[in-house]
Amino acid sequence: MQALARHEQDAKRPTEQARSLSVRTTSPLVASTFSMAAKAARMDIGVLIRGETGVGKDVLARAIHGASARSSAPFRAINCASLTASLIEAELFGHERGSFTGAHCEQMGLLESSNGGTVFLDEIAEAPLALQASLLRALESREIYRIGGRAPRKLDVRFIAATNRDVAAEMAAGRFRTDLFYRLSAMELVLPPLRERIDDLPLLCNEILIQLCAEGNRKRVTLTDRALDVLRSYSWPGNIRELKNILLRALSMIETGEVIDGGDLTLPCATILSCPRDERAAILSALNCHGWNQVRTAKALGISRTTLVYRLNEYKIPRPQKYG
């Protein structure tokens, strides 16, 4: 059961719960999404969160739970993509003693154990059709039956679902039930990818670094302007999750330092060069990818070393002596 779900008790005070759905952003779409999420938290309705992998759908789901009247009850996240047909019934709905070989005692299922709280159905569009049918029955009747059980058990949970897939295409292909979609999506929230809210990078980096430094019990760390230029030039296929991982690696590179520079960042060069925002940013990204080696950087950019040096001078990009 532990491999299929993550359980968290949110013990925040009410004022902290309300703050969990506030956001600092320059993106109107992000601001609108969080405003709608705050309303959804108060209404106790089903919510479907859409967005690419790594944009923070699970974080938003937890924030909605934390700002709701159910905040003192369990928040349980279930990865629907990991549930196989043989595990669905026993794990989600539980079983009675002796209902099958190995059932030596009764077992409460994940849904029943979440009563009073919130169940987060992550990657719902990847759930097997058998699971979709079982979830639909539970949603419609607000009751479940344990395996081997004859009496229904009341279900009092709030469902929040999330997907990174094109829901309309999945329904058209018959991989996602239309009736389940309408049951889960009384309100739809969309989180944009990081590349569409790139102006939020300084804010996001600051928040992530504060969190990582607190977890690592180290002094505050900041980013240089050159480091921000490098980050802005990247296309961010992994979104905020990837940003956090890159900043975590950078922290380990500087060890006890208090400043992250462009050379401390490790980014996939090919992705950066395919989506440059401007020439200066692309050059900075390529330099970072190749350890500031001018010969390799020029080759990656498809220009001569002489042209690269000219561009470095033109854009006033410093060339640390240690890189040659």
Side-chain angles (χ1 to χ4, degrees):
M1 184 181 293
Q2 292 179 348
L4 300 176
R6 302 181 303 279
H7 172 230
E8 290 187 2
Q9 287 283 136
D10 190 337
K12 296 178 181 177
R13 294 186 298 273
T15 55
E16 293 174 331
Q17 294 165 5
R19 266 201 303 272
S20 68
L21 276 170
S22 64
V23 62
R24 294 176 61 202
T25 180
T26 62
S27 167
L29 180 54
V30 173
S32 174
T33 294
F34 273 75
S35 175
M36 292 176 64
K39 295 176 182 177
R42 294 193 297 268
M43 292 188 286
D44 199 35
I45 59 176
V47 176
L48 177 65
I49 304 173
R50 295 193 294 110
E52 295 180 5
T53 298
V55 294
K57 298 186 293 293
D58 58 332
V59 175
L60 181 56
R62 286 183 171 86
I64 292 172
H65 170 76
S68 74
R70 296 177 178 268
S71 61
S72 60
F75 174 94
R76 197 178 294 279
I78 299 172
N79 186 343
C80 297
S82 70
L83 291 171
T84 61
S86 60
L87 292 174
I88 290 171
E89 297 295 332
E91 294 292 345
L92 289 185
F93 303 105
H95 58 78
E96 299 293 348
R97 180 180 179 181
S99 57
F100 55 84
T101 302
H104 302 300
C105 60
E106 67 174 28
Q107 176 67 55
M108 183 183 295
L110 294 177
L111 297 183
E112 188 180 351
S113 67
S114 304
N115 266 338
T118 301
V119 171
F120 176 50
L121 301 170
D122 198 10
E123 306 303 347
I124 183 63
E126 298 181 38
L129 288 172
L131 171 57
Q132 294 183 33
S134 298
L135 287 173
L136 180 63
R137 286 193 296 271
L139 278 163
E140 289 178 337
S141 66
R142 292 290 167 175
E143 293 179 340
I144 60 168
Y145 285 86
R146 291 181 180 178
I147 295 178
R150 297 182 179 180
R153 296 175 179 270
K154 294 295 183 182
L155 185 64
D156 174 27
V157 299
R158 193 250 187 90
F159 286 96
I160 301 176
T163 183
N164 62 3
R165 300 212 174 173
D166 182 334
V167 176
E170 294 298 307
M171 290 191 293
R175 293 187 292 266
F176 189 45
R177 294 181 62 122
T178 303
D179 45 7
L180 179 59
F181 167 76
Y182 288 119
R183 279 284 181 179
L184 290 171
S185 60
M187 181 177 288
E188 257 189 276
L189 303 177
V190 178
L191 283 173
L194 181 52
R195 63 182 174 275
E196 293 180 8
R197 50 179 299 204
I198 210 71
D199 289 340
D200 279 349
L201 259 177
L203 295 171
L204 290 169
C205 289
N206 183 58
E207 292 176 359
I208 292 171
L209 286 173
I210 289 174
Q211 176 191 348
L212 292 177
C213 289
E215 292 172 354
N217 194 29
R218 61 183 296 171
K219 291 182 179 180
R220 173 78 178 276
V221 174
T222 59
L223 291 167
T224 65
D225 290 340
R226 186 168 71 172
L228 282 171
D229 281 341
V230 171
L231 294 175
R232 288 189 182 100
S233 72
Y234 187 45
S235 61
W236 297 109
N239 292 293
I240 297 175
R241 184 180 301 156
E242 184 179 20
L243 173 62
K244 184 174 182 178
N245 289 337
I246 286 172
L247 292 177
L248 182 59
R249 285 198 297 271
L251 284 175
S252 66
M253 291 289 291
I254 64 172
E255 297 182 352
T256 58
E258 297 179 17
V259 176
I260 294 174
D261 199 7
D264 301 317
L265 298 167
T266 305
L267 302 175
C269 186
T271 308
I272 298 170
L273 296 177
S274 66
C275 302
R277 290 174 64 83
D278 54 57
E279 189 174 50
R280 185 179 190 277
I283 291 172
L284 281 168
S285 300
L287 284 165
N288 176 68
C289 283
H290 295 283
W292 288 73
N293 181 286
Q294 295 175 13
V295 174
R296 293 199 299 268
T297 298
K299 184 177 179 180
L301 291 170
I303 60 178
S304 68
R305 183 177 181 275
T306 302
T307 300
L308 174 61
V309 171
Y310 175 81
R311 291 286 190 267
L312 294 178
N313 293 329
E314 181 183 18
Y315 292 125
K316 296 181 174 57
I317 298 174
R319 287 173 282 163
Q321 290 297 316
K322 66 178 179 178
Y323 292 113

